[in-house]
Amino acid sequence: MIKVTIWNEFRHEVAQDRWGERCREHYPNGIHIALKQNLASEDLLIRTATLADPEQGLPDELLNDTDVLMWWGHVAHKEVSDALVDKIQNRVLGGMGLIVLHSGHKSKIFQRMTGCSCALHWREAGESERVWTIDPAHPICKGVPPYFVVERTEMYGEPFGIPEDAKPIFISWYQGGDVFRSGVTLQRGLGKIFYFSPGHETFPIYHDPNVLKVLSNAIRWAAPVMPIMADPLSCPNAVESPEPLPPYVF
Ligand code: ZN
């Protein structure tokens, strides 16, 4: 059983304006609830958290019981406390998987884990996006077609300010002609990280079967393969030497 926590800033979907109405057409209970429902599987224990929850949604009991953290944020990145970002970073270094979605590219935690600006350029024109699978052998691409189309999307374009070790898994082309590394993997410490850009809040992208397949695969890929280290920054003193090797005999 993989313990997944879907964290959502949850601001757009409750806004009392036209923007909020557009979001609620697709996500009446929030993006986090839609993802939880659409990713439900017998081998996943999925919990949700939002910024407005106590301790910004991630008290120690929950964070320390999370194998894979999924993160959607946009307008409130700065409100996430640095102390919480420290804890999440530590948990990732110890082995927790981290899946950063869409506008989470500018989240404190993604910038922290990459050490980069994570900047890009964008255009909201409702154009279509063709997502190309460029590493069909990667576990995240299992069962994903050579390409799929997101009918209406927000364009995210290059240059994307991510580190050179970010490995592209998907590349997107947009109707306007822009291209973008829309799915990349990283590892920091023992933790695996996946960034995936499709997921603008006013379009039903998290109901798209191909997008859900990618995220479903990403959860399994990012899940830790060993117990998560509580203190990955420790440098233990190796007091005891390993067993000496027997002398070499010619
Ligand atoms: Zn967006």
Side-chain angles (χ1 to χ4, degrees):
M1 186 72 93
I2 303 172
K3 294 176 178 177
V4 182
T5 300
I6 302 173
W7 188 96
N8 181 16
E9 170 186 289
F10 198 33
R11 286 283 170 84
H12 291 304
E13 304 97 311
V14 293
Q16 295 306 308
D17 55 18
R18 179 65 193 125
W19 197 263
E21 287 171 18
R22 288 177 62 194
C23 298
R24 287 190 291 277
E25 285 173 20
H26 310 298
Y27 307 111
N29 302 307
I31 283 172
H32 53 303
I33 299 299
L35 281 171
K36 177 178 178 172
Q37 292 170 343
N38 293 343
L39 293 168
S41 172
E42 281 183 358
D43 64 332
L44 303 180
L45 170 63
I46 303 180
R47 292 172 284 196
T48 61
T50 70
L51 180 60
D53 293 342
E55 302 191 48
Q56 302 198 315
L58 289 175
D60 291 350
E61 312 84 78
L62 178 57
L63 181 60
N64 294 335
D65 194 39
T66 296
D67 297 322
V68 178
L69 177 65
M70 199 173 267
W71 191 274
W72 199 103
H74 183 212
V75 292
H77 293 321
K78 290 196 170 78
E79 295 178 39
V80 177
S81 82
D82 292 336
L84 178 59
V85 175
D86 289 345
K87 288 183 191 175
I88 299 170
Q89 177 189 23
N90 199 62
R91 182 84 178 154
V92 173
L93 293 174
M96 180 181 75
L98 175 67
I99 299 173
V100 177
L101 300 172
H102 188 56
S103 40
H105 71 95
K106 284 282 272 183
S107 62
K108 283 185 179 181
I109 186 59
F110 194 51
Q111 289 180 325
R112 176 76 67 84
M113 299 315 301
T114 58
C116 289
S117 71
C118 305
L120 46 78
H121 69 273
W122 58 278
R123 174 175 61 245
E124 209 211 334
E127 60 204 284
S128 65
E129 171 180 2
R130 182 169 289 183
V131 183
W132 288 92
T133 301
I134 60 168
D135 186 359
H138 196 282
I140 294 178
C141 303
K142 188 177 179 186
V144 179
Y147 71 84
F148 61 92
V149 175
V150 178
E151 291 296 340
R152 299 194 72 204
T153 197
E154 177 184 28
M155 187 283 291
Y156 275 6
E158 296 283 345
F160 187 16
I162 50 175
E164 288 193 4
D165 68 326
K167 178 177 163 53
I169 302 296
F170 298 101
I171 284 181
S172 286
W173 170 90
Y174 301 86
Q175 246 175 330
D178 305 80
V179 295
F180 188 66
R181 288 168 285 171
S182 47
V184 299
T185 61
L186 289 153
Q187 182 164 333
R188 291 293 181 267
L190 303 176
K192 289 180 233 152
I193 301 170
F194 179 57
Y195 171 78
F196 192 59
S197 65
H200 187 59
E201 65 272 15
T202 59
F203 301 125
I205 295 172
Y206 294 127
H207 296 292
D208 181 310
N210 289 308
V211 168
L212 294 168
K213 183 70 180 166
V214 169
L215 297 180
S216 171
N217 287 345
I219 289 170
R220 275 83 179 178
W221 169 81
V225 297
M226 55 185 274
I228 295 174
M229 288 177 69
D231 185 11
L233 298 183
S234 68
C235 301
N237 182 358
V239 178
E240 303 248 338
S241 300
E243 281 289 305
L245 290 171
Y248 187 76
V249 181
F250 287 94

